[in-house]
């Protein structure tokens, strides 16, 4: 018996996608001369801030994009402003480090037509410890520490719509309600696709409360939930469909395998570095949010539209 031929796919917008890839590698950085660079005056007590949050985010975006230390970041920003013909002051490394702790990063995103279908997943990112090669060659010399990044992606635009940054010991299911809370209340959520780690009452209740449909596989040896609440009924219907047909059929029927797109998005997150430079949790959160903002900017330039042909 011959093996079935592998599936074949084709990119339908190759010309525009090829152009977007070229733009992602362009060194042309446009600086808006109308950007609010200096912080507005306020009447709060204490020394007023010199630079606006937008200016600090711009500098830290340059740092993350080119993987620079803080002092080199200040030097590169000064060069960019000089090339743009702008006589603006540049924050020094201590200002960038201090403001990163309290920075509220603005993450741009696009809203697609119709209900929002979220893909949810998490990954670990290292911030302390030896590299992989050194650990393999000489053994782990010290304690390695990790953090978890939880993402919710819109497959229609490939934009990250929600992000949470937690310690490595935290599970996935307690974070899902917080991810859904970052979606505006006036935006309708159609489906939420997540892995079996989210097969909990808390996750199903949070999804049903937003009027969405959970697409979550049942855990191994899962049993029917007691009760007649909407979350229990939706979860028990998934369990019956899995038992009646099969787990593989249910995944194909619900398009569960679309979750692989957010798994690929994790590679984009780690393309900025396998580890984060900051040590403080608040600064680490700001660094992750800046990565997400850059990823959404790249997605806005253009994404591949792939269809199956065979």
């Amino acid at each position: 018996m011959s093996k079935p031929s592998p599936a074949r796919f084709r990119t339908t917008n190759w010309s525009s996608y090829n152009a977007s890839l070229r733009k992602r590698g362009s060194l042309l950085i446009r600086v808006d001369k109308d950007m609010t660079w200096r912080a507005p005056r306020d009447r709060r007590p204490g020394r007023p801030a010199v630079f606006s949050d937008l200016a600090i985010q711009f500098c830290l975006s340059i740092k993350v994009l080119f993987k620079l230390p803080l002092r080199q970041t200040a030097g590169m920003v000064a060069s960019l402003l000089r090339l743009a013909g702008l006589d603006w002051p540049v924050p020094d490394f201590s200002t960038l480090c201090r403001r990163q702790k309290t920075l509220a990063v603005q993450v741009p995103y696009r809203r697609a037509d119709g209900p929002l279908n979220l893909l949810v997943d998490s990954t670990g990112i290292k911030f302390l410890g030896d590299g992989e090669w050194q650990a393999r060659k000489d053994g782990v010399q010290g304690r390695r520490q990790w953090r978890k990044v939880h993402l919710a992606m819109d497959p229609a635009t490939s934009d990250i719509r929600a992000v949470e940054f937690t310690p490595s010991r935290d599970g996935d299911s307690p974070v899902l309600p917080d991810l859904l809370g970052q979606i505006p209340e006036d935006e309708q959520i159609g489906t939420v696709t997540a892995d079996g780690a989210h097969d909990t009452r808390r996750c199903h209740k949070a999804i049903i409360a937003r009027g969405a449909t959970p697409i979550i596989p049942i855990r191994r040896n899962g049993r029917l939930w007691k009760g007649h609440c909407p979350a229990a009924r939706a979860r028990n219907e998934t369990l019956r469909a899995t038992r009646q047909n099969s787990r593989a059929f249910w995944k194909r029927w619900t398009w569960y395998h679309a979750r692989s797109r957010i798994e690929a998005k994790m590679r984009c997150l780690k393309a900025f570095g396998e580890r984060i430079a900051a040590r403080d949790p608040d600064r680490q959160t700001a660094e992750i949010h800046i990565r997400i903002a850059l990823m959404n900017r790249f997605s806005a330039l253009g994404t591949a539209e792939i269809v199956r042909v065979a």
Side-chain angles (χ1 to χ4, degrees):
M1 183 177 179
S2 60
K3 295 183 179 180
S5 57
R8 297 171 55 191
F9 299 89
R10 181 171 62 88
T11 303
T12 58
N13 63 333
W14 176 249
S15 58
S16 60
Y17 180 57
N18 184 41
S20 69
L21 293 179
R22 295 172 61 89
K23 291 179 181 179
R24 294 181 188 182
S26 175
L27 291 178
L28 179 62
I29 299 178
R30 298 180 180 179
V31 180
D32 186 6
K33 296 183 179 181
D34 297 331
M35 179 174 56
T36 305
W37 189 262
R38 293 182 179 272
R41 297 294 181 178
D42 53 15
R43 298 182 180 275
R44 292 182 299 178
R47 182 179 179 181
V50 178
F51 303 95
S52 64
D53 289 345
L54 189 59
I56 299 299
Q57 182 174 342
F58 173 78
C59 297
L60 294 178
S61 298
I62 296 296
K63 174 185 182 299
V64 172
L65 185 60
F66 294 98
K67 303 176 184 178
L68 299 174
L70 288 174
R71 290 177 174 85
Q72 296 181 16
T73 300
M76 186 171 185
V77 171
S79 300
L80 292 175
L81 296 179
R82 193 180 307 114
L83 291 174
L86 299 174
D87 189 18
W88 291 350
V90 179
D92 57 11
F93 72 95
S94 61
T95 301
L96 292 176
C97 182
R98 184 181 67 255
R99 292 285 298 275
Q100 183 178 352
K101 184 179 179 64
T102 58
L103 179 65
V105 180
Q106 299 180 8
V107 180
Y109 64 87
R110 297 164 294 165
R111 294 182 61 166
D113 299 333
L116 176 63
N117 300 314
L118 290 176
L119 307 177
V120 180
D121 200 3
S122 64
T123 186
I125 190 166
K126 184 169 58 178
F127 73 95
L128 186 65
D130 301 327
E132 299 299 329
W133 171 248
Q134 184 177 358
R136 181 179 180 87
K137 183 170 63 73
D138 301 327
V140 179
Q141 302 297 325
R143 186 173 61 180
R144 312 171 84 184
Q145 297 188 18
W146 302 75
R147 292 287 188 266
K148 291 184 71 174
V149 183
H150 309 262
L151 302 179
M153 187 185 79
D154 179 11
T157 60
S158 298
D159 287 348
I160 301 298
R161 295 297 310 273
V163 55
E164 285 288 337
F165 191 65
T166 64
S168 58
R169 63 179 179 271
D170 291 355
D172 293 346
S173 60
V175 183
L176 182 60
D178 297 331
L179 291 175
L180 298 180
Q182 299 181 22
I183 307 300
E185 292 291 339
D186 60 343
E187 188 169 2
Q188 181 183 0
I189 302 178
T191 60
V192 177
T193 305
D195 57 13
H198 299 82
D199 183 25
T200 61
R201 290 183 179 271
R202 178 185 302 176
C203 294
H204 280 79
K205 287 181 179 179
I207 296 173
I208 297 298
R210 289 300 302 266
T213 302
I215 303 180
I216 302 175
I218 306 301
R219 296 186 181 186
R220 298 295 181 182
N221 300 325
R223 298 181 179 179
L224 292 174
W225 285 354
K226 297 181 180 180
H228 300 283
C229 62
R233 289 198 300 267
R235 194 263 186 185
N236 292 338
E237 289 178 2
T238 301
L239 179 59
R240 294 189 186 95
T242 304
R243 290 178 175 178
Q244 183 177 359
N245 300 287
S246 66
R247 191 182 185 90
F249 176 82
W250 176 85
K251 289 183 177 182
R252 291 194 302 268
W253 178 58
T254 57
W255 292 88
Y256 172 78
H257 295 291
R259 202 179 61 86
S260 61
R261 294 188 56 182
I262 192 172
E263 294 177 352
K265 206 70 173 180
M266 299 299 181
R267 297 180 56 189
C268 301
L269 177 69
K270 295 185 179 181
F272 294 102
E274 290 288 338
R275 59 190 302 169
I276 47 181
R279 296 293 180 266
D280 182 80
D282 295 331
R283 294 185 177 91
Q284 291 173 352
T285 302
E287 183 176 343
I288 290 297
H289 279 78
I290 289 176
R291 290 191 183 191
I292 299 301
L294 292 173
M295 289 167 54
N296 288 355
R297 290 290 188 185
F298 287 160
S299 298
L301 294 176
T303 53
E305 298 177 2
I306 302 175
V307 297
R308 182 170 179 172
V309 296

